């Protein structure tokens, strides 16, 4: 389902597209057609000027694919816009290609509605899983079931919580991370939402906030403290929640089949 924009072999350059557009770049017709819209995008800086990631391109490509299935775009228009997505360098340039599509506005509303903390009645007080490392290391990774609340404690040790291949049975997941002279590392798929509230005392507490374009995507909240230690949470590049993609693909396939049966 996901669109891959190029991946380097092991030992090669980092995954993703090169800094330069593909051979041929955008056709002059596309440039002229969207030039005015790009100028409007510049007014929303600095967000519009952020460099686009592979996840951003995947999101726009999914919206275009759905618009094609719904008959909002012709095959020629779809191909033209996909070419533009490949050549776009910033988030603002990407948004231009879906500005006139309703799915883009629904996704934006879903991202704006994502709260900074989970609702009190959604996530239980008691943890579903405790990951503890005292003068040692502990991890949760691979294909495992993530509960609604996970507590991680690293005291002179290291804890790794990797959700990039986990099964999300609940949409909201809270991770409480406490590090004392230790290290807690949290990784999530790049198509979920990630929010953090916490702090460091002579330590580092860092969460790379992320908002998914999918309204049904899981939301991972990270809270806690780093005391002379480190807590870090960020998306893992190239890893996506498969069940979300399967639902989107099934929806597109159903719409395509309906159009073909007419």
């Amino acid at each position: 389902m996901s669109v891959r924009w190029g991946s380097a072999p092991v030992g090669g350059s980092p995954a993703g597209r090169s800094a330069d557009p593909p051979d041929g770049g955008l056709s002059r017709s596309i440039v002229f057609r969207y030039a005015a819209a790009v100028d409007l995008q510049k007014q929303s800086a600095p967000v519009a000027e952020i460099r686009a990631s592979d996840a951003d391109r995947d999101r726009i490509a999914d919206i275009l694919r759905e618009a094609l299935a719904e008959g909002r775009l012709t095959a020629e228009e779809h191909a033209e816009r996909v070419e533009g997505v490949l050549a776009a360098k910033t988030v603002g340039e990407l948004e231009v290609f879906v500005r006139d599509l309703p799915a883009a506005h629904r996704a934006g509303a879903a991202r704006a509605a994502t709260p900074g903390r989970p609702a009190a009645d959604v996530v239980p007080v008691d943890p579903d899983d405790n990951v503890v490392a005292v003068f040692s290391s502990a991890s949760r990774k691979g294909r495992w079931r993530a509960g609604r609340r996970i507590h991680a404690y690293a005291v002179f040790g290291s804890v790794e919580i990797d959700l990039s291949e986990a099964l999300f049975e609940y949409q909201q997941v809270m991770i409480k991370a406490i590090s004392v002279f230790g290290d807690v590392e949290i990784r999530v798929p790049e198509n979920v939402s990630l929010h953090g509230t916490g702090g460091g005392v002579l330590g580092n507490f860092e969460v790379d906030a992320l908002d998914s374009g999918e309204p049904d995507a899981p939301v991972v909240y990270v809270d806690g403290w780093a005391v002379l230690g480190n807590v870090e949470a960020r998306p893992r590049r190239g890893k996506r929640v498969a069940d979300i993609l399967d639902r989107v693909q099934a929806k597109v396939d159903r719409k395509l089949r309906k159009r073909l049966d007419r």
Side-chain angles (χ1 to χ4, degrees), residues 140-158:
R140 294 287 187 276
K141 57 184 177 180
R143 200 69 171 165
W144 61 290
R145 297 182 183 277
R148 287 174 294 179
R149 177 180 284 272
I150 303 168
H151 286 184
Y153 302 95
V155 181
F156 289 95
S158 63

Side-chain angles (χ1 to χ4, degrees), residues 51-85:
R51 300 285 294 194
S53 68
D54 286 345
D56 293 325
R57 296 187 188 88
D58 282 343
R59 175 174 59 86
I60 298 301
D62 288 341
I63 293 174
L64 293 176
R65 187 180 297 107
E66 184 174 350
L68 174 64
E70 294 174 344
R72 299 183 189 275
L73 295 177
T74 65
E76 182 180 353
E77 289 172 332
H78 176 263
E80 192 176 67
R81 295 195 186 197
V82 169
E83 184 183 356
V85 170

Side-chain angles (χ1 to χ4, degrees), residues 8-135:
V10 176
S13 59
R17 72 177 176 87
S18 61
D20 297 325
D23 291 342
L26 272 173
S27 65
R28 292 177 63 85
S29 62
I30 300 177
V31 174
F32 290 137
R33 184 171 301 178
Y34 296 106
V38 171
D39 288 338
L40 289 175
Q41 283 287 348
K42 292 179 180 178
Q43 298 177 9
S44 58
V47 175
E49 297 176 358
I50 295 174
R51 300 285 294 194
S53 68
D54 286 345
D56 293 325
R57 296 187 188 88
D58 282 343
R59 175 174 59 86
I60 298 301
D62 288 341
I63 293 174
L64 293 176
R65 187 180 297 107
E66 184 174 350
L68 174 64
E70 294 174 344
R72 299 183 189 275
L73 295 177
T74 65
E76 182 180 353
E77 289 172 332
H78 176 263
E80 192 176 67
R81 295 195 186 197
V82 169
E83 184 183 356
V85 170
L86 282 167
K89 294 183 178 181
T90 66
V91 172
E93 291 174 2
L94 285 175
E95 296 294 341
V96 166
F97 297 102
V98 296
R99 174 177 290 175
D100 58 346
L101 300 176
H105 299 283
R106 291 197 300 267
R111 291 194 299 273
T114 303
R117 295 186 63 86
D121 57 343
V122 173
V123 178
V125 176
D126 296 327
D128 299 309
D129 192 6
N130 283 304
V131 188
V132 182
V134 180
F135 289 97

